[in-house]
Amino acid sequence: LLYGLQKTTLTRIRDRFGEEVFSQFFEKIVKICQEKGLVKGESLMIDSTLIKANASLDSLIPKDPEAKTEIKKGNGLTPPPDRKISNATHQSQTDPDATLAYKKGTLRSLKYKVHTSIDSDSRVILDCFVTTGAYHDSQAYISRIEHILKTFSRNLKEVIADRAYGSASILSTLASKKLETYIPIFSGRSGRASSLPERGFVYDDIKDQFICAEGKALLHYPKTFSDRKRYHTKAADCITCTQQMTCLGNVKKKEKVRYVDRTIYQPLYEEVKERMTTSIFIQKLTERMWKMEGRTYVEDGRNYCGS
Ligand code: SF4
């Protein structure tokens, strides 16, 4: 059905009938695809793309009316070198919904972000959601999954995405929905605790304690943190220790003890890290790359499974 329509026709339909009717039109098309057996709806892939807004950098004005209003003009594509602009302080006068965003190798400019979800099997687009450019890829993910589950795909079994979506909260939410995930861990969020064995502390999951290089136990300290647990030595353990200079445990000067933190998501990270090395995981990511980005795994040049 879509092949018969020009892009401009779709734009006109949206402008004439409004967003709600346009969404119904889009959903109707997907439902026809489902009725015809084109969409299985068991596996979902997602990706986000930045698109340039139709607004120049020269349209940015300070948000605070009291702020200095002197605006040095650039050429509309790049700001003058001495002009400091950010989403926190500036907003476009001509397109207030567009925000500054950039991707490596591209110019910083005003942008939007399109979050697209496809049926992995047929590559039919199930959801297309537009946010401002500065929105992180993962921010809308769970709400879009819920929308797709409700609208089209109650038999969804698995989701495939790149590491931008691999945060602890997303992975744990998807696990609670009994969805199989093929999403590499977003390493920046996997927490320092993941490298603790290399730092000289080994976790004992039976006793829920760490053992340090000197063989002393660090016991769980009953202080509550939202995302981690803390483990302490006894003061007497460290005072006489000969490894004090090289020990990488954090120092609590007042009590003269060492401590380490362990993220509450560590078991989840370890499980996903193990799955990331399996052939099925690599195969799913490879498939996502060429289906959503038109690239091969080798062309991507990144190693999703080695870190
Ligand atoms: S300083 Fe304390 S925590 Fe570090 S190795 Fe020595 S006893 Fe263990």
Side-chain angles (χ1 to χ4, degrees):
L1 184 52
L2 276 171
Y3 287 122
L5 292 173
Q6 297 287 329
K7 195 175 145 199
T8 45
T9 312
L10 290 169
T11 311
R12 270 194 222 118
I13 293 170
R14 190 192 58 198
D15 290 345
R16 192 170 300 169
F17 297 109
E19 201 178 317
E20 204 182 319
V21 173
F22 187 77
S23 292
Q24 287 169 6
F25 176 71
F26 177 81
E27 284 167 15
K28 181 72 184 167
I29 292 170
V30 176
K31 281 181 178 156
I32 292 171
C33 292
Q34 278 187 306
E35 281 159 24
K36 302 287 175 196
L38 285 172
V39 173
K40 281 191 196 165
E42 293 177 356
S43 174
L44 194 71
M45 292 175 175
I46 192 166
D47 198 25
S48 313
T49 316
L50 286 168
I51 49 168
K52 205 170 172 304
N54 189 17
S56 142
L57 290 177
D58 285 339
S59 70
L60 287 167
I61 54 165
K63 284 181 178 174
D64 178 2
E66 301 295 312
K68 258 177 126 182
T69 50
E70 186 202 347
I71 301 173
K72 291 172 185 158
K73 296 283 179 190
N75 60 10
L77 295 173
T78 51
D82 59 342
R83 182 175 162 197
K84 287 192 171 56
I85 50 171
S86 79
N87 290 319
T89 56
H90 289 72
Q91 189 171 38
S92 169
Q93 212 172 4
T94 52
D95 189 350
D97 293 332
T99 44
L100 289 163
Y102 82 104
K103 214 172 177 180
K104 213 173 164 190
T106 65
L107 289 174
R108 193 161 71 137
S109 58
L110 289 163
K111 294 194 175 79
Y112 284 95
K113 191 173 270 186
V114 185
H115 308 259
T116 310
S117 300
I118 64 166
D119 175 63
S120 309
D121 198 52
S122 60
R123 297 173 76 183
V124 168
I125 296 172
L126 300 186
D127 186 55
C128 200
F129 185 66
V130 181
T131 62
T132 192
Y135 214 72
H136 190 268
D137 293 7
S138 64
Q139 265 176 283
Y141 189 44
I142 295 298
S143 65
R144 295 331 293 167
I145 294 256
E146 280 165 356
H147 171 76
I148 293 165
L149 277 169
K150 199 169 123 204
T151 318
F152 311 114
S153 192
R154 286 177 185 87
N155 55 343
L156 185 64
K157 293 187 174 85
E158 64 174 38
V159 287
I160 308 164
D162 67 26
R163 67 168 70 235
Y165 300 85
S167 70
S169 80
I170 284 184
L171 291 169
S172 56
T173 304
L174 294 173
S176 72
K177 290 181 185 296
K178 308 269 181 278
L179 291 172
E180 190 79 38
T181 59
Y182 295 95
I183 308 176
I185 293 170
F186 183 46
S187 54
R189 293 182 192 171
S190 60
R192 280 191 334 177
S194 59
S195 62
L196 276 171
E198 290 77 35
R199 299 173 68 215
F201 295 86
V202 178
Y203 181 67
D204 176 342
D205 59 352
I206 295 167
K207 293 187 176 166
D208 186 26
Q209 64 181 25
F210 278 95
I211 301 296
C212 72
E214 193 66 10
K216 305 289 183 193
L218 283 79
L219 305 177
H220 179 219
Y221 179 69
K223 183 172 176 180
T224 44
F225 299 94
S226 60
D227 59 347
R228 63 193 193 279
K229 284 167 82 175
R230 181 156 289 180
Y231 298 81
H232 274 234
T233 57
K234 292 189 196 108
D237 291 338
C238 300
I239 288 171
T240 53
C241 178
T242 53
Q243 303 199 46
Q244 282 186 60
M245 296 302 285
T246 52
C247 177
L248 293 175
N250 302 293
V251 184
K252 217 171 179 190
K253 281 190 184 136
K254 222 171 163 188
E255 288 99 332
K256 295 189 174 62
V257 296
R258 304 267 170 158
Y259 70 89
V260 292
D261 289 341
R262 186 175 198 260
T263 165
I264 57 167
Y265 298 113
Q266 198 62 31
L268 176 71
Y269 288 138
E270 275 157 22
E271 189 231 308
V272 177
K273 271 186 181 173
E274 206 176 310
R275 291 182 52 241
M276 281 164 67
T277 59
T278 61
S279 56
I280 180 78
F281 200 101
I282 296 168
Q283 185 196 317
K284 297 276 182 187
L285 289 190
T286 309
E287 196 184 324
R288 190 206 72 88
M289 214 173 285
W290 73 259
K291 283 189 172 174
M292 296 229 65
E293 302 175 25
R295 291 181 298 145
T296 65
Y297 191 64
V298 176
E299 279 168 350
D300 185 62
R302 282 176 285 172
N303 182 0
Y304 284 107
C305 302
S307 58

